[in-house]
Amino acid sequence: MFVRKKEKSSDVSKAKNSAIAFLARREYSKQELYQKLFLRYTKEASLEALSYCISNNYQSDLRYSQMLCRHTVNQFYGPLRLLRDAKIKGISSSLIQSFIDETDWDEIAKNFLLKKYTKEELSDYEQSQKVLAALARRGFSNSSCIRAFGLAKESVDVS
């Protein structure tokens, strides 16, 4: 079976309409939007549509980075995961650094532990190693994992 490869369109107005339609559904970083447009349109049409969206404030990396930060916190992920995701999406770390500095990551990690693990799991030594590893996989630093684990144990012991 031979599939003919579609030629990319060079129609700038269609590229602009596609870009606006994408952005109507959700926020995209500049890099993501360009990649989506470049699948269907030529480089010139994609760049023209992207610059149009940026100049009219339809696309904003600042708004996208704020959305990414909120999503990271709501899903109980840590700052290392946030930085990795931002890099993958083409967001500069300077856009999210102030958010990282202002956020209490130990509290987020503690809330994750209290939601996911029982008192017995937090008290058992062998299980505690798994708990700390789970936090590390979610993008928390080693020191933050240990502090959050201590805070979670205190919270459970008080209850």
Side-chain angles (χ1 to χ4, degrees):
M1 301 309 246
F2 204 21
V3 178
R4 180 184 285 185
K5 190 174 181 181
K6 282 187 173 181
E7 284 200 28
K8 294 182 178 184
S9 172
S10 61
D11 188 353
V12 175
S13 63
K14 285 185 180 179
K16 287 179 183 178
N17 288 339
S18 290
I20 292 170
F22 289 138
L23 292 168
R25 289 185 211 107
R26 75 171 182 91
E27 291 285 341
Y28 285 92
S29 68
K30 275 191 270 193
Q31 177 181 314
E32 281 182 313
L33 186 58
Y34 174 75
Q35 288 171 346
K36 285 188 80 69
L37 290 171
F38 189 65
L39 291 173
R40 294 190 211 165
Y41 302 99
T42 62
K43 180 179 181 181
E44 294 78 23
S46 299
L47 288 173
E48 181 73 28
L50 182 63
S51 65
Y52 173 79
C53 289
I54 292 169
S55 65
N56 288 306
N57 203 25
Y58 299 143
Q59 191 285 326
S60 166
D61 275 351
L62 178 62
R63 269 196 321 263
Y64 182 81
S65 64
Q66 291 168 342
M67 184 272 308
L68 185 62
C69 292
R70 279 192 311 274
H71 173 74
T72 300
V73 168
N74 290 339
Q75 296 298 311
F76 300 106
Y77 287 115
L80 302 176
R81 168 80 181 250
L82 176 58
L83 285 169
R84 188 199 74 190
D85 289 349
K87 184 177 180 183
I88 290 170
K89 304 293 186 183
I91 300 295
S92 107
S93 59
S94 62
L95 280 176
I96 57 172
Q97 192 59 49
S98 64
F99 178 81
I100 288 174
D101 295 338
E102 295 168 0
T103 305
D104 185 3
W105 296 104
D106 295 345
E107 187 67 24
I108 294 167
K110 180 190 93 167
N111 291 337
F112 168 72
L113 293 177
L114 293 175
K115 181 180 178 193
K116 183 158 173 82
Y117 296 101
T118 64
K119 180 179 181 178
E120 292 76 30
E121 290 172 320
L122 292 173
S123 300
D124 181 37
Y125 176 75
E126 287 182 20
Q127 187 67 26
S128 69
Q129 300 302 309
K130 293 179 183 178
V131 169
L132 290 171
L135 279 176
R137 283 191 303 273
R138 294 190 76 77
F140 292 96
S141 66
N142 290 338
S143 58
S144 185
C145 292
I146 293 168
R147 285 192 304 269
F149 185 71
L151 291 171
K153 280 181 75 168
E154 285 176 14
S155 296
V156 171
D157 290 340
V158 170
S159 303

Short mmCIF file of all heavy atoms in Angstrom, two decimals, residues 12 14 18 27 36 47 57 73 77 79 86-87 96-97 108 110 130 140-141 147 150 152 155:
data_model
loop_
_atom_site.label_atom_id
_atom_site.label_comp_id
_atom_site.label_asym_id
_atom_site.label_seq_id
_atom_site.Cartn_x
_atom_site.Cartn_y
_atom_site.Cartn_z
N VAL A 12 -1.61 31.42 4.05
CA VAL A 12 -1.40 32.05 5.36
C VAL A 12 -2.71 32.23 6.11
O VAL A 12 -2.78 32.02 7.32
CB VAL A 12 -0.65 33.39 5.21
CG1 VAL A 12 -0.53 34.10 6.54
CG2 VAL A 12 0.72 33.16 4.60
N LYS A 14 -5.44 30.42 6.00
CA LYS A 14 -5.85 29.12 6.56
C LYS A 14 -4.99 28.75 7.76
O LYS A 14 -5.49 28.22 8.75
CB LYS A 14 -5.79 28.02 5.51
CG LYS A 14 -6.90 28.06 4.51
CD LYS A 14 -6.83 26.87 3.57
CE LYS A 14 -7.97 26.91 2.55
NZ LYS A 14 -7.90 25.77 1.62
N SER A 18 -6.34 28.12 11.51
CA SER A 18 -6.01 26.89 12.24
C SER A 18 -5.38 27.22 13.59
O SER A 18 -5.71 26.60 14.61
CB SER A 18 -5.05 26.02 11.43
OG SER A 18 -5.68 25.47 10.32
N GLU A 27 -4.39 26.50 25.72
CA GLU A 27 -3.16 27.27 25.55
C GLU A 27 -2.08 26.38 24.94
O GLU A 27 -2.01 25.18 25.22
CB GLU A 27 -2.65 27.79 26.90
CG GLU A 27 -3.49 28.87 27.52
CD GLU A 27 -3.34 30.22 26.85
OE1 GLU A 27 -2.35 30.45 26.13
OE2 GLU A 27 -4.24 31.06 27.03
N LYS A 36 2.50 22.14 15.55
CA LYS A 36 1.19 21.72 15.06
C LYS A 36 0.88 22.34 13.69
O LYS A 36 0.35 21.66 12.81
CB LYS A 36 0.09 22.08 16.06
CG LYS A 36 0.06 21.17 17.27
CD LYS A 36 -1.13 21.40 18.14
CE LYS A 36 -2.38 20.80 17.69
NZ LYS A 36 -2.52 19.37 17.71
N LEU A 47 5.06 30.29 10.39
CA LEU A 47 5.68 31.40 11.12
C LEU A 47 4.83 32.66 11.05
O LEU A 47 4.72 33.40 12.05
CB LEU A 47 7.08 31.67 10.57
CG LEU A 47 8.14 30.63 10.91
CD1 LEU A 47 9.44 30.92 10.16
CD2 LEU A 47 8.38 30.55 12.41
N ASN A 57 -1.96 38.81 20.84
CA ASN A 57 -2.03 38.25 22.20
C ASN A 57 -2.96 37.04 22.28
O ASN A 57 -3.56 36.78 23.32
CB ASN A 57 -2.44 39.33 23.21
CG ASN A 57 -1.99 38.96 24.62
OD1 ASN A 57 -1.04 38.21 24.80
ND2 ASN A 57 -2.70 39.47 25.60
N VAL A 73 1.17 21.82 40.13
CA VAL A 73 0.81 21.83 41.55
C VAL A 73 -0.44 21.00 41.80
O VAL A 73 -0.51 20.21 42.74
CB VAL A 73 0.63 23.27 42.07
CG1 VAL A 73 -0.03 23.31 43.43
CG2 VAL A 73 1.97 23.99 42.09
N TYR A 77 3.03 17.36 41.40
CA TYR A 77 4.36 17.16 40.86
C TYR A 77 5.29 18.22 41.44
O TYR A 77 4.86 19.26 41.90
CB TYR A 77 4.37 17.25 39.33
CG TYR A 77 3.74 16.06 38.67
CD1 TYR A 77 2.58 16.18 37.93
CD2 TYR A 77 4.31 14.80 38.77
CE1 TYR A 77 2.00 15.09 37.31
CE2 TYR A 77 3.74 13.69 38.17
CZ TYR A 77 2.58 13.85 37.44
OH TYR A 77 2.01 12.76 36.83
N PRO A 79 9.13 20.60 41.52
CA PRO A 79 9.77 21.63 40.69
C PRO A 79 10.67 21.05 39.60
O PRO A 79 10.80 21.65 38.53
CB PRO A 79 10.57 22.46 41.69
CG PRO A 79 10.79 21.55 42.84
CD PRO A 79 9.59 20.67 42.91
N ALA A 86 8.63 22.24 31.19
CA ALA A 86 8.77 23.55 30.56
C ALA A 86 9.83 23.51 29.46
O ALA A 86 9.62 24.07 28.38
CB ALA A 86 9.14 24.60 31.60
N LYS A 87 10.92 22.83 29.71
CA LYS A 87 11.98 22.72 28.70
C LYS A 87 11.47 21.98 27.46
O LYS A 87 11.73 22.38 26.33
CB LYS A 87 13.19 22.01 29.29
CG LYS A 87 14.35 21.95 28.35
CD LYS A 87 15.56 21.30 29.01
CE LYS A 87 16.72 21.27 28.03
NZ LYS A 87 17.88 20.59 28.59
N ILE A 96 9.24 30.63 34.68
CA ILE A 96 8.63 29.90 35.79
C ILE A 96 9.45 29.94 37.06
O ILE A 96 9.00 29.45 38.10
CB ILE A 96 8.35 28.43 35.39
CG1 ILE A 96 9.62 27.75 34.96
CG2 ILE A 96 7.28 28.34 34.35
CD1 ILE A 96 9.48 26.27 34.74
N GLN A 97 10.63 30.55 37.02
CA GLN A 97 11.51 30.55 38.20
C GLN A 97 10.88 31.26 39.39
O GLN A 97 10.99 30.79 40.51
CB GLN A 97 12.86 31.17 37.85
CG GLN A 97 13.91 30.93 38.92
CD GLN A 97 14.15 29.46 39.18
OE1 GLN A 97 14.35 28.69 38.25
NE2 GLN A 97 14.13 29.05 40.43
N ILE A 108 3.30 20.71 49.20
CA ILE A 108 2.69 19.96 48.10
C ILE A 108 3.05 18.49 48.19
O ILE A 108 2.19 17.60 48.03
CB ILE A 108 3.11 20.56 46.74
CG1 ILE A 108 2.53 21.96 46.61
CG2 ILE A 108 2.69 19.67 45.58
CD1 ILE A 108 3.11 22.78 45.50
N LYS A 110 3.94 16.88 50.91
CA LYS A 110 3.25 16.34 52.09
C LYS A 110 1.79 16.01 51.76
O LYS A 110 1.29 14.94 52.11
CB LYS A 110 3.29 17.35 53.25
CG LYS A 110 2.59 16.85 54.51
CD LYS A 110 2.44 17.95 55.53
CE LYS A 110 1.11 18.57 55.31
NZ LYS A 110 0.61 19.44 56.32
N LYS A 130 10.01 3.27 49.68
CA LYS A 130 9.19 3.34 48.48
C LYS A 130 8.48 4.69 48.39
O LYS A 130 8.32 5.25 47.30
CB LYS A 130 8.17 2.21 48.47
CG LYS A 130 8.79 0.84 48.31
CD LYS A 130 7.74 -0.24 48.34
CE LYS A 130 8.38 -1.61 48.25
NZ LYS A 130 7.39 -2.69 48.32
N PHE A 140 10.48 15.88 42.99
CA PHE A 140 10.88 16.61 44.19
C PHE A 140 12.34 16.32 44.49
O PHE A 140 12.82 15.21 44.25
CB PHE A 140 10.01 16.20 45.39
CG PHE A 140 8.57 16.63 45.26
CD1 PHE A 140 7.61 15.75 44.78
CD2 PHE A 140 8.19 17.91 45.59
CE1 PHE A 140 6.29 16.15 44.64
CE2 PHE A 140 6.87 18.32 45.46
CZ PHE A 140 5.92 17.43 44.99
N SER A 141 13.05 17.30 45.03
CA SER A 141 14.46 17.11 45.38
C SER A 141 14.55 16.18 46.58
O SER A 141 13.58 15.98 47.32
CB SER A 141 15.11 18.45 45.71
OG SER A 141 14.54 18.98 46.89
N ARG A 147 11.99 16.20 54.01
CA ARG A 147 11.21 17.14 54.83
C ARG A 147 9.72 16.85 54.74
O ARG A 147 9.01 16.84 55.75
CB ARG A 147 11.50 18.58 54.40
CG ARG A 147 12.84 19.11 54.85
CD ARG A 147 12.95 20.62 54.65
NE ARG A 147 12.71 21.03 53.27
CZ ARG A 147 13.67 21.16 52.35
NH1 ARG A 147 14.91 20.90 52.65
NH2 ARG A 147 13.36 21.57 51.13
N GLY A 150 8.81 13.77 56.74
CA GLY A 150 8.73 14.10 58.17
C GLY A 150 7.46 14.85 58.52
O GLY A 150 6.81 14.55 59.52
N ALA A 152 4.60 14.75 56.88
CA ALA A 152 3.46 13.83 56.73
C ALA A 152 3.37 12.90 57.93
O ALA A 152 2.27 12.63 58.42
CB ALA A 152 3.60 13.03 55.44
N SER A 155 1.90 14.80 60.81
CA SER A 155 0.47 15.02 60.62
C SER A 155 -0.34 13.77 60.94
O SER A 155 -1.42 13.85 61.52
CB SER A 155 0.18 15.44 59.18
OG SER A 155 0.76 16.66 58.90
#
